[in-house]
Amino acid sequence: MTVRNEYKIDKKEIMSWAKTFYLYGKVNVILFGLWVFVFVCAVVELIILLCVGGDWTDWYLAVLLWVLSVYKLCFQRFLLQARRYKMLSKTYGVSEWMRSVDFTDEEIVLCDHTSVSKYRYESIKFIKDKKNAVLIVFNTGLGLILYKDAFVEGSWDECKAKIETIKQ
């Protein structure tokens, strides 16, 4: 029995991925914490420089750290997703396309517009479940997003049971 997830991808959809699974995994949480720490240090340094003063290198370093931390915390993920959308839309030659993911008995078949990729169940590293979205991360680092309400054949519960059965 095949389980199928199908949904439309456009720029708005890809940009929403920047928020949905921003802090998945221990490494991302640690990096986020470190960038928050850098931001706080930069703000404290700027306040001290305003009160006490300092030479241009102190100001340069404080402003540089502040700008870099704001970029990493607020903008980088959105710019990366925008770049991803631009690359994919240019590759496919369309501004929106359908993604279908079939969970067969042998493999996971991902079809994005005209591109078809196949993945083994054994290569799944972990699954992150969040409200209506599910992130399947493979050993290669590829993340595949599914939506629980986008199953056209079967359901997320059936899909999850199939993955767990085949992975064992």
Side-chain angles (χ1 to χ4, degrees):
M1 178 182 144
T2 300
V3 178
R4 174 176 258 200
N5 190 271
E6 199 172 77
Y7 57 94
K8 180 181 77 167
I9 295 181
D10 56 12
K11 187 171 186 174
K12 181 181 175 188
E13 186 68 33
I14 288 181
M15 295 305 286
S16 76
W17 296 346
K19 292 184 254 178
T20 306
F21 290 103
Y22 179 55
L23 292 176
Y24 80 86
K26 295 173 188 169
V27 172
N28 288 337
V29 171
I30 291 169
L31 286 173
F32 179 78
L34 288 173
W35 282 112
V36 167
F37 178 74
V38 169
F39 175 79
V40 170
C41 288
V43 169
V44 168
E45 185 175 356
L46 285 169
I47 292 170
I48 291 171
L49 288 172
L50 281 172
C51 295
V52 177
D55 64 3
W56 70 271
T57 55
D58 296 330
W59 282 97
Y60 178 77
L61 182 61
V63 170
L64 180 68
L65 286 176
W66 182 81
V67 169
L68 185 61
S69 62
V70 167
Y71 168 76
K72 293 293 278 183
L73 289 170
C74 302
F75 300 111
Q76 182 188 30
R77 58 191 161 141
F78 295 106
L79 292 173
L80 290 175
Q81 292 296 5
R83 197 175 307 150
R84 173 178 286 158
Y85 169 76
K86 186 177 179 180
M87 179 194 67
L88 289 173
S89 64
K90 187 176 181 180
T91 300
Y92 298 146
V94 293
S95 61
E96 58 184 45
W97 59 93
M98 289 301 291
R99 169 176 282 179
S100 63
V101 184
D102 292 315
F103 293 86
T104 67
D105 291 334
E106 296 82 33
E107 60 197 356
I108 301 168
V109 181
L110 168 66
C111 183
D112 258 0
H113 193 56
T114 57
S115 173
V116 178
S117 304
K118 297 179 180 182
Y119 303 96
R120 295 187 346 251
Y121 287 99
E122 297 81 31
S123 65
I124 294 175
K125 189 174 184 178
F126 66 88
I127 298 172
K128 179 83 171 173
D129 194 338
K130 192 172 186 180
K131 295 182 185 175
N132 186 43
V134 176
L135 175 66
I136 299 175
V137 177
F138 295 93
N139 292 333
T140 59
L142 173 81
L144 175 61
I145 294 180
L146 306 174
Y147 294 100
K148 293 177 184 176
D149 62 358
F151 280 92
V152 293
E153 293 178 30
S155 67
W156 166 239
D157 293 329
E158 292 172 354
C159 181
K160 189 175 180 181
K162 180 177 234 168
I163 291 170
E164 289 171 355
T165 302
I166 294 175
K167 270 193 78 166
Q168 292 176 357

